[in-house]
Each structure stands twice: as C-alpha cells, then as structure tokens.
Amino acid sequence: MKTLTQKVHNFSAGPGILPQEVLQEAAEACINFDNLNLSLLEISHRSKNYVKVMDEARQIVKELFEVGDEYEVLYLGGGASLQFAMVPYNLLTENGYAAYLNTGVWASKAIKEASILGNVKVIASSEDKKFTYIPKNYTIPSDADYFHCTSNNTIYGTEMFEFPDSPVPMVCDMSSDIFSRKVDAKKFALIYAGAQKNMGPAGCTMVMVRKDILGKTGRKMLSMLDYRVHIKGESMYNTPPVFPVYVTLLTLRWLKRNGGISWIEERNKKKAEMLYQEIDRNTCFKGTVEKEDRSRMNVCFVTTKPEYEPLFDEWVKQYNISGIKGHRDVGGYRASLYNALPLESVEVLVEAMQEFEKKYAS
Ligand SMILES: *Cc1c(COP(=O)(O)O)cnc(C)c1O
C-alpha cells in the first residue's frame, strides 16, 4: 500500500486528523475485514463479526469515561446537529423548560432547536464579547428539565475547564474535545459528540446517556428519534453507520493502547502550551480569547497587522502546514490540535511563526 512521502501537518478543524495507523487499518478493512475475504462495507451489520465491532465500540466509550451500566452508548447518524433536536425531544417536558449555556455558534444552534420544541432559558451567555470567554458564576435552576453546555467551542476556541455541579441532568456537547482530557463523566446525564473532530471520521455521532433520565416527557415519540428505541436495538435499530463506527473503534483502541486519557491529556497540554507561548511571545500574532478559557483543541489567533495575513498564508505553504485558516465567521487562524496531531506538527508551526517574524518584523 502507498505510504505518504511528504508529511503534511494537518491542523484541520473537522473532519480532523486521524492516526496514520488507523487509516492504514481502515483501508485494509475495506478490502478484507477480519480475514473474511470480504470488505467491511459489504457484510451484514447483523453478522457476528460486525456485532463484535459495535459491542466493543460501545463498551470502550464507557471504559474510557469510567462509567458503569447505568449508562448506554449509541452510535447514531445525523451528526451532532441532530442531537440538538433529539436532546430536547427526549428530555424536555411540555410545561417545563431547559437551561442552556450559550458559548458560541454550536450552542446557539442547540438553543434554536430546543426552542422549537419547548421552553428554553439561556442562563448565561458570552455573546456580549463575541464568545471570547466562558461565562462563570451562573446558577443552574433546580426546576429545569435539564442543563445543556458545550465543553469546547470549536469556532471561537474556548473550552470549559470546570463543570458545574448541576442540580438537574447535565447534557454536554463534547464534539470537539471528547477524550482529550480527563473529565468526571458521572457528572453528566448525557454526553454527545460528532465523531469527526476528535474520535473518528464523519458519519456517526456518539451518544452516552444515563437511562434513568429517559421516558419522562409524556410525548408520543417517533421511533428513530427515541433514544430508548436505539438502546433496545443495541444501537442497531436500523442499519448503523458501519464504517464510521469501525474507524471510531480503531481510533479509540489507538488511544487506549498508547496510554489512554492520562497519556493524551499530557500530550495535548504540551502541544497547546507550546503554541500559546509562541503566540504570546511573537510580535506578529496575538490570541483572540481570554487566557484562562483558551481551548487546547482549537487555538485561535490573528496577525497584529492586517498586511501580515496574506504573507503568512503564503509563508506556511513551504512548511506543509494545512488547515489553519480561521472559521469564516471569525477570520484569522485556527490551529486544531486534536488527539491524533503529533507534537512535531506544533513544533513546525511554531518554527514557521518564528521565521516569519524574523523575516517581516525585524
Ligand atoms: C462540529 C460541531 C458540531 C456539528 O457537528 P455535525 O456533526 O456537523 O452536526 C456541533 N457541536 C460542536 C461543538 C462542533 O464542533
């Protein structure tokens, strides 16, 4: 099989970088899965070889989150965006309301969907300062049906480093920092994540839910939107996204065999510290968010002079740096340092920034 001759440093915000060995294994499974002489793409999801994949993919999430059988893990289609609707559909009662934290574009979309289904209170927001910080010192009302937050704001580059003790079920969109660091998963009643940022390829969304919070809305439920139906079907009520689930499993196995969450957390801290340190030191660049809320996954920065930007866009090409353009709503740069990104790629970006400063700012 062809291997890469020229290394590209892939800072893509999503779909994001995957480990090379995972891509290799995934490619092999497309041709010959489990020595069946059949592709994973052409066998039944009910075959025992695939049922094993789904079982392990569900189990490994609980293992990495260190939770027990009060939780169930599902892999669903429709992206994290479908969860913006499924969460209120499954948890919001007719006369009740849901409490939301508004920390960016994705949180706003979650709020919008919930508002279509029922009552929503935004209990804190950082919209006043263009989502450049994480609100603190808010109170979660004890009569809400649930509280929803976004652990990492992929577009603005802020991250929640502390989670409140919620008096009501806490729901979290962890799409862009799942398994990047240790969190106390038992604090959450429901965690969801589109796989394509930090745990696999596009095409499946992981949902981990504590069963006791379900079945309380009184709503007549459509089967495909009912978590209980998917739980009963062991995440195979309908044909699951077989290949994305498999590649997600390969990625989580990679994480586990390399040392798990504590290993990756150390590595992610190191990468982020190295890059932020350079942003703060370099006279050509500056960060865009409050220091204490800076994301370790999506590092957002801008040039100190507008004329630097087209020059830097050109400059990074010689370093084989890819995917650092900021989101179209924010501009500037965003370097995504997801789990699979090696430290070496950050070193190359830092070097590019240092050499750029020497050339243009001295
Ligand atoms: C990318 C992203 C989403 C949207 O995910 P889709 O799978 O495209 O629906 C939602 N939330 C966060 C935090 C994201 O980063």
Side-chain angles (χ1 to χ4, degrees):
M1 196 166 296
K2 194 167 171 283
T3 50
L4 295 172
T5 46
Q6 188 156 51
K7 191 168 170 64
V8 175
H9 300 286
N10 182 6
F11 293 92
S12 170
I17 184 169
L18 290 167
Q20 279 295 320
E21 61 200 83
V22 165
L23 297 177
Q24 198 82 35
E25 287 173 273
E28 277 159 18
C30 280
I31 306 297
N32 180 7
F33 173 60
D34 250 6
N35 287 322
L36 293 172
N37 287 319
L38 290 166
S39 167
L40 175 64
L41 305 178
E42 58 183 3
I43 61 168
S44 168
H45 57 292
R46 309 276 177 207
S47 65
K48 73 175 190 326
N49 303 70
Y50 192 78
V51 169
K52 240 172 40 195
V53 167
M54 182 57 96
D55 287 348
E56 189 185 341
R58 296 174 76 207
Q59 193 52 42
I60 198 170
V61 166
K62 292 209 278 189
E63 204 181 310
L64 290 167
F65 271 137
E66 297 177 19
V67 299
D69 290 338
E70 65 275 29
Y71 289 87
E72 291 281 353
V73 175
L74 303 171
Y75 289 93
L76 305 175
S81 299
L82 181 60
Q83 296 312 308
F84 297 163
M86 276 180 83
V87 164
Y89 189 72
N90 283 267
L91 304 181
L92 186 52
T93 60
E94 197 180 340
N95 298 316
Y97 72 96
Y100 275 72
L101 197 59
N102 187 8
T103 51
V105 170
W106 298 117
S108 304
K109 289 191 172 171
I111 290 164
K112 183 178 163 214
E113 296 300 280
S115 309
I116 292 170
L117 283 168
N119 301 314
V120 170
K121 273 187 202 163
V122 176
I123 58 167
S125 168
S126 50
E127 198 170 7
D128 58 337
K129 290 186 184 159
K130 286 191 176 158
F131 300 118
T132 53
Y133 71 104
I134 299 287
K136 292 166 196 94
N137 303 321
Y138 49 86
T139 306
I140 301 170
S142 56
D143 62 345
D145 288 337
Y146 64 91
F147 165 66
H148 181 284
C149 59
T150 311
S151 54
N152 183 70
N153 300 283
T154 326
I155 293 175
Y156 295 95
T158 60
E159 191 167 9
M160 292 175 78
F161 292 106
E162 267 173 58
F163 294 98
D165 290 308
S166 176
V168 297
M170 180 154 66
V171 176
C172 189
D173 175 359
M174 293 195 185
S175 292
S176 52
D177 70 345
I178 188 164
F179 300 138
S180 67
R181 55 172 166 149
K182 183 151 176 63
V183 297
D184 183 1
K186 292 195 188 75
K187 276 188 151 184
F188 302 89
L190 193 154
I191 291 169
Y192 63 93
Q196 71 273 19
K197 308 290 178 24
N198 206 35
M199 69 183 294
C204 67
T205 302
M206 192 288 298
V207 177
M208 186 175 88
V209 58
R210 211 179 62 217
K211 282 171 282 189
D212 66 283
I213 65 168
L214 300 175
K216 299 191 170 160
T217 64
R219 183 178 273 123
K220 242 185 148 171
M221 307 277 285
L222 294 164
S223 307
M224 273 299 282
L225 299 181
D226 188 340
Y227 291 130
R228 291 170 307 173
V229 169
H230 290 286
I231 290 170
K232 189 155 175 280
E234 300 181 336
S235 202
M236 297 224 213
Y237 168 71
N238 70 318
T239 316
V242 289
F243 192 59
V245 171
Y246 180 64
V247 182
T248 299
L249 171 59
L250 294 178
T251 310
L252 297 182
R253 278 184 188 158
W254 166 86
L255 175 59
K256 200 175 125 179
R257 76 170 167 266
N258 279 289
I261 302 294
S262 56
W263 165 74
I264 204 72
E265 179 166 22
E266 272 316 296
R267 192 166 107 135
N268 288 336
K269 269 188 187 164
K270 219 163 155 184
K271 289 186 295 185
E273 271 162 24
M274 185 184 286
L275 184 51
Y276 282 121
Q277 208 168 37
E278 180 58 21
I279 289 167
D280 292 340
R281 188 208 60 78
N282 196 308
T283 58
C284 299
F285 302 97
K286 60 172 194 261
T288 54
V289 304
E290 286 296 326
K291 282 191 180 172
E292 62 177 11
D293 301 324
R294 282 172 158 179
S295 168
R296 290 187 199 132
M297 292 283 101
N298 310 100
V299 177
C300 293
F301 58 101
V302 293
T303 54
T304 48
K305 291 182 186 169
E307 61 266 31
Y308 288 152
E309 193 163 323
L311 295 170
F312 191 63
D313 289 347
E314 265 310 298
W315 183 257
V316 294
K317 287 181 188 163
Q318 60 186 306
Y319 293 88
N320 288 322
I321 286 170
S322 168
I324 60 164
K325 264 305 206 189
H327 187 273
R328 59 189 183 278
D329 290 353
V330 181
Y333 298 96
R334 170 176 53 171
S336 298
L337 315 182
Y338 296 131
N339 284 356
L341 186 88
L343 184 69
E344 181 205 343
S345 291
V346 180
E347 289 167 350
V348 169
L349 176 56
V350 166
E351 187 195 333
M353 294 165 80
Q354 289 171 347
E355 295 302 314
F356 182 83
E357 184 188 37
K358 278 187 205 151
K359 178 155 168 98
Y360 293 103
S362 51

